[in-house]
Amino acid sequence: MYNIIQKIIDECGPRMPCSPQEAKGAEIIKKELEETCDEVQIEPFKCHPRAALGWIRIVILLVITSFCLFFLIQLLLELFWAYFLSLLSSILMFLAILIAWEEFFSYKEFIDPLFKEKDSQNVIGKIKPSGEINKIIIFSGHHDSALQFNLLKYLKHGYVIVIFLGLGTFFIWFLGSLIFGILTIFAFLLNFALIYDFFLNVALWLLIIGALPMLFLFFFVTPGKKANKVPGAVDNLSAIAIILGVGRYLKNHMELIPANTEIRLISFGCEEAFLRGAYRYVEAHLEELKNYDAECVNLDAIQSIDYIAFSDKEPTTRTIHSEEVVQKL
């Protein structure tokens, strides 16, 4: 099965989400599945792939603008404008945290329409039972590859430090601007100048510590096609090779398939764009998957037979996987 990994890399190269190379890889996988499956099809879909990491730049711009508005307060003599800028600074930080939460921590398409819509595809192969279907078992992976993470490539272990300092600055300033905004509401009871001086010192220290990391984060990925540099052998052609192997094995050992069970071998597109391909597939087939009590075994980054881990949850989005399926595995 190593041959299929090499074949896709040689013929397609890197396959960032919604790229022509991703589509070409899907066609190769389709032809491979046709040798073992009763039915194979490519399901096209649309999404906004660059939103998946493009939100980072928008959030950083909001954070920088929030800092600038806060520093402008000291130039204004009228308390009204100080209140206004304080409120606006807090609102921008709230918007920044909301975008980060929805896009990254929830995988929702919150600001996706701000980015260009493009075409991608899922490849689905079906091994049908002889009788009626009352169960679906899915083995899945993805054929797109990640964008090049500039920080990881050039900073190596420094990548973790930059992420820690950048995110630390982001979250601390969110809390700081929020608290300052609340306190300014009661400025008629408190000493506004004293409050502002305290938070000014906080903001200055945060900029000293976090300005450079945030600048690095702004260039987390390169815009456009220049980011399409990752061959994606482990992540995730390794899984595709295994799925194709499962198809070949089951073709010669049909007795292993439970009665009235349809096996689906799926290669998703745009997984690196926050699972957009998987989401589109579920949206299109939700009732069918529910009716046939579908179970899914998704494979990702299988790089060694000596270490295979089973995940019972997705920590980023706080998604709990099926305990029943995990126990079966």
Side-chain angles (χ1 to χ4, degrees):
M1 299 313 298
Y2 289 107
N3 293 337
I4 189 62
I5 296 176
Q6 193 65 56
K7 177 182 175 66
I8 293 176
I9 290 176
D10 289 343
E11 296 186 15
C12 305
R15 303 165 309 286
M16 73 179 192
C18 293
S19 65
Q21 295 85 357
E22 181 199 47
K24 187 175 181 180
E27 290 291 344
I28 293 174
I29 294 167
K30 178 177 181 289
K31 290 180 181 178
E32 291 288 330
L33 286 173
E34 286 172 346
E35 297 181 9
T36 58
C37 296
D38 300 309
E39 178 184 318
V40 182
Q41 63 189 90
I42 289 181
E43 292 187 0
F45 64 88
K46 294 182 180 294
C47 67
H48 308 82
R50 293 312 290 261
L53 293 173
W55 67 269
I56 297 175
R57 291 193 169 194
I58 292 177
V59 163
I60 289 175
L61 289 174
L62 288 172
V63 172
I64 292 172
T65 305
S66 175
F67 270 112
C68 291
L69 291 175
F70 178 80
F71 290 130
L72 278 176
I73 292 175
Q74 62 185 316
L75 302 179
L76 301 173
L77 298 177
E78 294 186 23
L79 201 56
F80 168 78
W81 289 109
Y83 290 161
F84 177 76
L85 291 181
S86 170
L87 178 62
L88 189 55
S89 176
S90 300
I91 290 174
L92 291 181
M93 284 306 301
F94 177 79
L95 181 58
I97 201 78
L98 180 62
I99 291 172
W101 181 264
E102 292 292 289
E103 285 286 340
F104 182 68
F105 293 103
S106 301
Y107 281 7
K108 293 182 179 179
E109 299 177 44
F110 185 60
I111 59 169
D112 285 38
L114 299 178
F115 296 83
K116 186 176 181 180
E117 186 178 63
K118 295 185 178 182
D119 296 311
S120 186
Q121 62 294 122
N122 295 322
V123 188
I124 302 97
K126 299 178 181 180
I127 301 176
K128 296 179 175 292
S130 56
E132 65 174 344
I133 302 171
N134 56 32
K135 181 75 176 178
I136 294 175
I137 298 177
I138 299 171
F139 295 94
S140 65
H142 67 90
H143 51 273
D144 62 315
S145 59
L147 280 67
Q148 177 176 285
F149 293 177
N150 293 327
L151 299 185
L152 189 58
K153 177 177 175 61
Y154 297 112
L155 297 182
K156 307 301 181 186
H157 298 298
Y159 168 83
V160 177
I161 298 174
V162 169
I163 294 293
F164 177 77
L165 293 177
L167 291 181
T169 300
F170 173 56
F171 285 112
I172 292 173
W173 181 239
F174 166 69
L175 292 174
S177 64
L178 181 64
I179 294 171
F180 178 74
I182 294 172
L183 289 177
T184 54
I185 297 175
F186 302 98
F188 61 92
L189 297 175
L190 304 169
N191 187 324
F192 180 81
L194 186 62
I195 296 171
Y196 181 76
D197 286 344
F198 173 79
F199 282 94
L200 179 62
N201 287 324
V202 172
L204 288 172
W205 275 108
L206 284 175
L207 276 183
I208 291 171
I209 296 171
L212 192 58
M214 284 196 294
L215 179 62
F216 285 157
L217 285 172
F218 190 82
F219 296 100
F220 188 82
V221 293
T222 305
K225 297 178 181 179
K226 292 182 179 180
N228 193 24
K229 296 181 179 180
V230 180
V234 172
D235 184 14
N236 193 32
L237 292 181
S238 61
I240 297 304
I242 292 172
I243 290 167
L244 294 174
V246 168
R248 292 184 182 184
Y249 189 79
L250 290 178
K251 181 181 180 181
N252 297 320
H253 300 84
M254 294 293 288
E255 71 279 2
L256 295 177
I257 301 177
N260 305 112
T261 298
E262 179 177 283
I263 303 296
R264 294 189 182 179
L265 308 176
I266 303 179
S267 179
F268 293 117
C270 281
E271 190 272 354
E272 299 292 352
F274 292 172
L275 308 181
R276 297 303 186 237
Y279 276 113
R280 294 294 188 272
Y281 182 78
V282 172
E283 289 169 2
H285 300 273
L286 182 58
E287 291 305 315
E288 177 190 30
L289 297 174
K290 285 182 177 179
N291 292 338
Y292 293 118
D293 189 27
E295 294 179 343
C296 179
V297 179
N298 187 68
L299 295 85
D300 202 298
I302 311 297
Q303 57 183 319
S304 172
I305 61 173
D306 298 321
Y307 179 75
I308 298 177
F310 298 95
S311 176
D312 59 357
K313 62 182 176 181
E314 169 53 55
T316 303
T317 58
R318 307 160 309 284
T319 303
I320 305 300
H321 297 166
S322 168
E323 184 177 350
E324 181 181 355
V325 174
V326 172
Q327 290 302 318
K328 287 179 180 179
L329 295 174

